[in-house]
Amino acid sequence: MFLSHLLGASVLLALAAPAADAAPDVTTPLPGTQAGTADGTQPAAQPGAGPDAGTASVADTRADPPSRSGAGPVPDPDGSPTGSPAGTGEPQPGTADTGPSEQPAGTAAGGTAAGGTDGGGADAAGMGAAGMGAGETGAGAAEAAGTRVDETGAGDMGAHATGAAGAVTPASAAAAGTDRFDGWGFDTCVTPSLATMRAWNSSKYRSIGVYYGGRGRGCPNQPELTKSWVSSVYGMGWKVLPVFVGSQSPCVSADSKRKVTIGSDPGGEGTDEARDAVERAKALGMVAGSPLYLDMEAYAQDDRDCAATTLSFIRSWDREVERLGYVSGFYSSADSGVEQIGAERRAGTSDLPSVMWFARWNDKPSVTGEPSLRSQDWSPHLRIHQYAGDVKEEHGGEQLSIDRNRVDAPVARIAD
């Protein structure tokens, strides 16, 4: 996901992992599911850098911004006690757009991104190490529910295959019908052409994040992103990660996102935008059971009032997405939104995302070991780690500026 640059429709395409993360490129049917087959981004991960990324060079490694200490429990605007700390946020002084990438430019390796894949993260320049990660949820929750697993890169996933004792499974009835992909993925701000996707079949990637909707997208113009495109890339063996870049936190770090912040009715706005997210997904042929990833670029989560407003929006969005039969996913910086949501989960807050996509640009692709998340949370098979951003890669003669992701999470289910 490109953090703070462009929030174009983003579908994350994950590729089978080679070498250390190598695994058979097949879809493993889980109990009660149907078997399928799968065809054959970036320097230090940074939180807040979502799938709405732009082009970047392979050698261009960036780090995540340092986090700020939290300021005690965040009051729950919906009335339910949370008792969770506000968490730490990343300072974003002197942020600057870095092109289509959503991650902050010039951040130090291993740091978290302030923006998201949709272009928000790239606005934060010179941020410290601390990327955002995709958490792990309750042991065997997804598979026990009958998900289909696309095993294209087991790698580090085995570490949490069974989960921790007493692990909490996602409070998502919809998650029971998801298809999971395990492998490599990338996101880019503007959806690539079918010709480029064919050329990239020569790469290790097999999933793609697309910025398919939301008022906060850095790349709202997506001429290639149609229902036919989704169906075609799915037929090539690509898995899609739908990213929705809606209203942003009132204390968002990226200057480019401050014109699309949450208003005076965060609960109502969250619900309305969730409905829009579902309708847009349906229009692209993504059916119920598909995950929809809400991209919330890095924000000052140590600002308690702002954090409470942001949480109200996120919870309302999650509730409505799940009510409509889809799976609520969340993308943000590891030291910002991910840390806050992780703290709320530890406090027992309801209506939180079912899948976690964290940005920490540490160039260490792994869905485990993220310091802002407990190992048993969003585990197994419910995490994505954006480990590098704003890098350029060329495959089959076609060059793209991308964010790199390690995926072990639900992907879109495409209508026949």
Side-chain angles (χ1 to χ4, degrees):
M1 306 176 198
F2 289 101
L3 256 140
S4 76
H5 212 57
L6 309 163
L7 282 174
S10 72
V11 177
L12 181 68
L13 305 165
L15 220 171
D21 268 6
D25 188 16
V26 298
T27 299
T28 303
L30 294 174
T33 64
Q34 186 174 358
T37 59
D39 267 351
T41 215
Q42 311 160 334
Q46 308 173 357
D52 206 6
T55 64
S57 72
V58 175
D60 202 7
T61 307
R62 308 186 186 254
D64 303 335
S67 64
R68 297 187 290 217
S69 58
V74 177
D76 187 347
D78 290 340
S80 59
T82 66
S84 66
T88 65
E90 303 114 298
Q92 322 257 332
T95 65
D97 286 340
T98 61
S101 171
E102 289 302 333
Q103 298 176 335
T107 59
T112 59
T117 55
D118 76 318
D123 286 349
M127 310 184 63
M132 56 179 250
E136 310 168 42
T137 43
E143 294 183 355
T147 62
R148 290 184 294 184
V149 184
D150 197 353
E151 300 288 358
T152 58
D156 53 44
M157 304 310 157
H160 59 76
T162 57
V168 179
T169 58
S172 167
T178 60
D179 293 347
R180 179 180 67 84
F181 174 78
D182 182 353
W184 303 102
F186 75 90
D187 61 84
T188 186
C189 198
V190 178
T191 304
S193 68
L194 288 176
T196 298
M197 295 305 296
R198 290 189 190 95
W200 274 55
N201 267 333
S202 62
S203 73
K204 71 177 182 179
Y205 302 107
R206 283 298 176 271
S207 71
I208 179 171
V210 295
Y211 295 90
Y212 79 100
R215 63 191 290 252
R217 284 186 297 175
C219 297
N221 185 22
Q222 300 284 338
E224 300 289 341
L225 188 56
T226 63
K227 185 175 182 179
S228 175
W229 183 93
V230 171
S231 177
S232 294
V233 297
Y234 184 73
M236 294 179 202
W238 289 98
K239 307 303 176 184
V240 174
L241 296 168
V243 183
F244 184 88
V245 190
S247 294
Q248 298 295 296
S249 173
C251 49
V252 63
S253 301
D255 291 341
S256 64
K257 302 298 179 187
R258 291 175 184 162
K259 62 182 179 293
V260 290
T261 55
I262 300 164
S264 60
D265 180 18
E269 292 168 33
T271 299
D272 289 345
E273 292 192 30
R275 291 170 182 163
D276 180 48
V278 168
E279 288 306 309
R280 288 176 181 273
K282 288 181 178 178
L284 290 172
M286 302 174 194
V287 301
S290 295
L292 304 180
Y293 293 92
L294 176 65
D295 185 334
M296 189 65 66
E297 297 297 313
Y299 56 94
Q301 53 119 346
D302 55 339
D303 180 329
R304 295 182 64 186
D305 289 341
C306 177
T309 295
T310 306
L311 178 62
S312 178
F313 177 91
I314 293 169
R315 294 180 67 203
S316 295
W317 195 90
D318 293 341
R319 274 195 300 267
E320 189 64 7
V321 164
E322 302 263 337
R323 187 187 73 80
L324 295 172
Y326 287 71
V327 179
S328 62
F330 182 70
Y331 168 89
S332 191
S333 164
D335 287 344
S336 179
V338 172
E339 184 164 310
Q340 181 185 5
I341 297 303
E344 295 296 337
R345 176 153 180 166
R346 293 191 292 275
T349 302
S350 62
D351 301 319
L352 297 180
S354 293
V355 189
M356 182 61 75
W357 186 340
F358 61 97
R360 185 178 294 280
W361 293 1
N362 56 6
D363 210 17
K364 298 178 181 178
S366 175
V367 297
T368 63
E370 167 49 45
S372 64
L373 301 170
R374 296 182 303 183
S375 61
Q376 69 265 38
D377 293 337
W378 292 284
S379 172
H381 316 312
L382 293 166
R383 290 189 182 190
I384 301 172
H385 176 198
Q386 184 179 83
Y387 63 91
D390 192 21
V391 299
K392 290 179 182 178
E393 285 194 33
E394 181 175 320
H395 299 284
E398 295 289 339
Q399 185 181 87
L400 291 175
S401 205
I402 66 171
D403 294 326
R404 296 170 179 156
N405 299 274
R406 182 65 175 89
V407 183
D408 185 17
V411 292
R413 308 187 77 179
I414 310 304
D416 294 333

